[in-house]
């Protein structure tokens, strides 16, 4: 029979969760702040009502696992194949650049290069649990901003395994790091192949058999079994359990059982995730905060400001407009839950002292507690920044100011001209972009709205009001560029129809998978067909 204090602590945790969330929702602060505040109150920082949080931490880790599983349910493998490489480049670049900058600062402050690199890698990670919850609460997971954040988080989760291996190897000596990392990569690839390969063939018939029994409890048990097996597989390969759960969710997203699976685990996931946020609050060591306030607070502010600045720079360079890049930087500026794991391993391996680890843990916990407020600040600042950027530095000519309900034509060659002529005859506004300066100059002499610009640059599309366009025509002369542009457009603005010129049937199939709403192979009368499709969709045939 459980000890009475265990039952008492369970009651305290549940009561604090209920009261904290109700008060936070009443004050319109959001459930996350409610859970964090509840953890602060009942933990060592508050009234010390919960002393042994080991079981709570275990359940909280499962909350992260279930969260990543539900995210995977919204990401079929087919959809990931058309995600632009810039999204994954943003995630990889953020990890490498942030880790390098933090390591350089640590070395400049007198720390050894090995521990500095390890700490840089740990602090480069953001909180998947907090960020995904914030995006889900605002129904932004499928927006271009949400997908940019999610792509960055996926790359960070992939980096957890190699970071753990690097820490353990560094504890044994620098010479073993390269071999350990190589082995970790091989194990990770094998685990992913096994889960995605074997799971793709095995899951559908197993779920069909269990669903035929019409026993909801068995269906729920099978779902839990799949999540935990996938998690244990990736954990054994040196990756995180959460990443295995993500893969399992992606596999089930391609089956007809995804909606029932989501319903079965929703209550459990929400409760366990709430426990995770409470453990973050409970992990805040007030003694360390009071004794080393002059170190911990600047460390927290520096971490969040530095990560926000680096993420803003990369996101603006690769993918997002200015306001959204600023918002992304603020949203992902905190330390992550995996930092607790990595910093704990650092101490066990003798890389960090216990005092240094406590300082970093408190800084990470503080950054996570501040995240909902900082994210809300970014959400409110983004539209103001966008309006100011457009008013003082927009790249679009003055003659296009306020343009809307127009068609953007990428490529003003033979096909692009045919589309433009047909649209002009029907009275539909259009603007064309082309990388050939002679072609652009010739069109400008005819007073046509053709401009020099690279259509696969987000800032160019933004300047020509792509978010207000009725459609985008991909008529560039290079098949590879056409495919990349289609994937980028579909990723950034999935609601805008994309009409693409294809060179042959295989190219047409690739464009369709990349997100084109209509694809016209080369032998067809391309220009007229594309224009007719646009006019038909908007009810404006002449």
């Amino acid at each position: 029979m459980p000890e009475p204090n265990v039952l008492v602590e369970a009651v305290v945790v549940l009561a604090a969760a209920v009261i904290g969330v109700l008060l936070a929702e009443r004050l319109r602060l959001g459930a996350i702040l409610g859970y964090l505040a509840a953890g602060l109150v009942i933990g060592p920082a508050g009234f010390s009502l919960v002393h042994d949080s080991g079981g709570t931490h275990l359940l909280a880790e499962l909350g992260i696992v279930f969260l990543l599983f539900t995210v995977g349910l919204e990401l079929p493998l087919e959809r990931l194949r058309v995600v632009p490489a810039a999204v994954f480049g943003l995630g990889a670049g953020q990890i490498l650049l942030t880790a390098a900058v933090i390591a350089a600062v640590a070395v400049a402050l007198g720390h050894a290069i090995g521990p500095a690199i390890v700490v840089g890698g740990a602090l480069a990670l953001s909180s998947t649990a907090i960020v995904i919850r914030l995006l889900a609460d605002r129904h932004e997971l499928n927006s271009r901003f949400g997908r940019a954040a999610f792509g960055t988080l996926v790359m960070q989760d992939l980096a957890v395994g190699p970071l753990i291996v690097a820490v353990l190897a560094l504890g044994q000596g620098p010479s073993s790091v390269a071999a350990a990392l190589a082995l970790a990569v091989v194990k990770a690839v094998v685990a992913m192949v096994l889960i995605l390969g074997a799971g793709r063939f095995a899951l559908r018939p197993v779920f069909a058999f269990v669903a035929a029994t019409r026993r909801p409890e068995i269906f729920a048990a099978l779902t839990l079994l799949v999540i935990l097996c996938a998690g244990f597989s990736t954990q054994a390969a040196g990756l995180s359990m959460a990443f295995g759960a993500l893969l399992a969710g992606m596999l089930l997203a391609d089956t007809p059982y995804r909606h029932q699976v989501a319903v079965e685990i929703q209550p459990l996931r929400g409760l366990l995730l709430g426990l995770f946020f409470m453990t973050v609050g409970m992990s805040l060591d007030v003694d360390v905060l009071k004794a080393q306030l002059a170190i911990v607070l600047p460390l927290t502010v520096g971490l969040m400001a530095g990560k926000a600045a680096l993420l803003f720079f990369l996101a603006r360079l690769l993918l997002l407009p200015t306001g959204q890049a600023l918002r992304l930087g603020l949203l992902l500026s905190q330390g992550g839950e995996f930092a607790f794991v990595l910093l704990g391993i650092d101490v066990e391996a003798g890389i960090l002292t216990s005092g240094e680890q406590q300082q970093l843990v408190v800084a990470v916990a503080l950054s996570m507690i501040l995240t909902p407020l900082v994210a809300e600040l970014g959400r409110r600042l983004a539209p103001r920044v966008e309006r100011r950027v457009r008013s003082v530095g927009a790249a679009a000519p003055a003659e296009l100011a306020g343009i809307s309900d127009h068609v953007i034509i990428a490529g003003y060659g033979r096909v692009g001209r045919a589309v433009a002529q047909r649209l002009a005859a029907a009275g539909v506004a259009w603007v064309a972009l082309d990388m050939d300066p002679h072609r652009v100059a010739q069109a400008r002499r005819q007073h046509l709205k053709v401009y020099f610009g690279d259509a696969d640059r987000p800032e160019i599309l933004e300047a020509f009001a792509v978010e207000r366009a009725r459609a985008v025509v991909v008529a560039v002369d290079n098949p590879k560029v056409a495919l990349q542009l289609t994937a980028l457009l579909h990723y950034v603005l999935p609601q805008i129809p994309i009409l693409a010129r294809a060179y042959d049937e295989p190219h047409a199939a690739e464009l369709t998978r990349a997100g084109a709403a209509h694809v016209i192979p080369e032998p067809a009368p391309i220009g007229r067909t594309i224009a007719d499709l646009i006019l038909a969709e908007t009810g404006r045939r002449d």
Side-chain angles (χ1 to χ4, degrees):
M1 182 175 178
E3 293 291 332
N5 67 316
V6 175
L7 295 178
V8 170
E9 289 189 353
V11 171
V12 169
V13 169
L14 292 175
V18 172
I19 295 171
V21 171
L22 287 177
L23 287 176
E25 292 287 359
R26 190 69 177 266
L27 297 173
R28 298 184 178 180
L29 297 175
I32 292 178
L33 272 179
Y35 284 121
L36 292 170
L40 278 169
V41 171
I42 66 175
F47 295 102
S48 295
L49 299 177
V50 176
H51 303 285
D52 181 12
S53 60
T56 306
H57 276 286
L58 176 60
L59 292 175
E61 289 177 16
L62 289 177
I64 302 171
V65 170
F66 283 105
L67 171 70
L68 267 293
F69 176 75
T70 55
V71 170
L73 286 175
E74 302 299 324
L75 284 174
L77 292 173
E78 195 65 33
R79 187 183 299 176
L80 277 187
R81 291 193 182 102
V82 300
V83 172
V87 176
F88 299 111
L90 173 62
Q94 180 271 327
I95 296 168
L96 295 173
L97 185 59
T98 305
V101 170
I102 293 175
V105 172
V107 169
L109 293 175
H111 295 278
I113 189 168
I117 293 174
V118 170
V119 170
L123 297 184
L125 307 178
S126 304
S127 174
T128 301
I130 291 179
V131 172
I132 294 296
R133 180 63 181 266
L134 288 171
L135 292 173
D137 286 347
R138 295 195 173 278
H139 306 288
E140 291 183 310
L141 274 174
N142 288 321
S143 66
R144 63 169 171 170
F145 173 78
R147 284 185 280 182
F150 176 75
T152 305
L153 291 170
V154 167
M155 294 303 296
Q156 290 181 357
D157 287 341
L158 279 171
V160 171
L163 281 172
I164 291 175
V165 173
V167 171
L168 295 174
L170 195 60
Q172 300 170 3
S175 60
S176 61
V177 174
L181 282 177
L183 179 61
V185 170
V186 172
K187 290 168 65 178
V189 171
V190 171
M192 291 175 64
V193 170
L194 287 176
I195 292 175
L196 295 178
R200 195 174 184 107
F201 296 102
L203 280 184
R204 195 181 295 262
V206 171
F207 269 89
F209 177 76
V210 172
T213 66
R214 298 185 180 276
R215 300 296 297 268
E217 69 276 14
I218 302 301
F219 190 90
L222 176 61
T223 301
L224 294 176
L225 179 63
V226 169
I227 296 172
L228 295 177
C229 285
F232 288 140
S233 298
T234 50
Q235 187 180 53
L239 298 169
S240 66
M241 281 189 67
F243 184 67
L246 174 69
L247 294 177
M250 291 164 58
L251 284 171
L252 285 174
D254 288 319
T255 71
Y257 309 104
R258 61 179 280 198
H259 299 292
Q260 185 61 34
V261 166
V263 170
E264 294 291 347
I265 69 166
Q266 181 65 31
L268 185 61
R269 187 213 74 168
L271 178 60
L272 294 177
L273 195 58
L275 286 176
F276 164 74
F277 295 127
M278 293 183 70
T279 58
V280 172
M282 286 187 279
S283 67
L284 188 63
D285 192 327
V286 175
D287 292 334
V288 173
L289 185 59
K290 289 178 180 177
Q292 305 187 42
L293 194 64
I295 296 176
V296 172
L297 282 184
L299 185 59
T300 304
V301 173
L303 171 66
M304 299 188 76
K307 287 183 72 173
L310 292 173
L311 269 162
F312 167 77
F313 168 74
L314 288 173
R316 186 68 187 87
L317 180 68
L318 297 175
L319 193 66
L320 295 174
T322 304
Q324 295 300 307
L326 173 63
R327 186 185 173 197
L328 182 69
L330 292 172
L331 179 65
L332 299 178
S333 62
Q334 75 289 131
E337 51 271 1
F338 291 119
F340 298 132
V341 178
L342 288 164
L343 293 173
I345 297 174
D346 288 344
V347 174
E348 294 175 3
I351 298 173
L352 293 178
T353 66
S354 178
E356 292 170 333
Q357 184 234 17
Q358 276 297 309
Q359 291 175 356
L360 293 172
V361 164
V362 171
V364 170
L366 270 179
S367 71
M368 295 171 78
I369 290 171
L370 292 172
T371 295
L373 299 176
V374 174
E376 180 63 18
L377 174 66
R379 189 183 71 85
R380 296 188 179 188
L381 281 178
R384 297 180 184 179
V385 171
E386 288 301 325
R387 286 194 295 268
R388 178 163 295 186
V389 168
R390 287 174 182 171
S391 64
V392 300
E399 63 194 73
L400 295 180
I403 190 172
S404 62
D405 198 33
H406 57 298
V407 175
I408 296 178
I409 303 172
Y412 196 68
R414 173 176 55 86
V415 175
R417 285 195 300 273
V419 174
Q421 291 168 3
R422 176 66 172 156
L423 293 176
V428 175
W430 60 272
V431 58
L433 296 167
D434 200 281
M435 290 296 291
D436 186 337
H438 301 292
R439 190 181 291 168
V440 172
Q442 184 179 16
R444 298 298 296 174
R445 285 194 292 270
Q446 300 174 15
H447 306 289
L448 298 175
K449 294 180 179 179
V450 181
Y451 303 92
F452 181 83
D454 190 353
D456 65 358
R457 295 289 299 273
E459 61 268 28
I460 296 292
L461 294 172
E462 176 197 358
F464 286 87
V466 66
E467 71 279 3
R468 298 196 299 271
R470 68 161 62 182
V472 177
V473 175
V474 177
V476 294
D477 295 329
N478 189 313
K480 185 177 180 181
V481 172
L483 188 61
Q484 293 173 344
L485 176 56
T486 300
L488 175 66
L489 285 167
H490 181 65
Y491 178 85
V492 171
L493 291 170
Q495 73 276 14
I496 292 184
I498 302 170
L499 302 98
R501 163 235 195 137
Y503 284 80
D504 49 38
E505 292 299 333
H507 188 224
E510 289 181 324
L511 288 168
T512 300
R513 287 195 296 270
H518 299 285
V519 177
I520 300 87
E522 181 69 38
I526 299 172
R528 183 179 182 86
T529 304
I530 291 177
D532 284 343
L533 285 169
I534 295 173
L535 298 173
E537 285 199 348
T538 56
R540 296 191 60 174
R541 282 186 180 275
D542 62 352

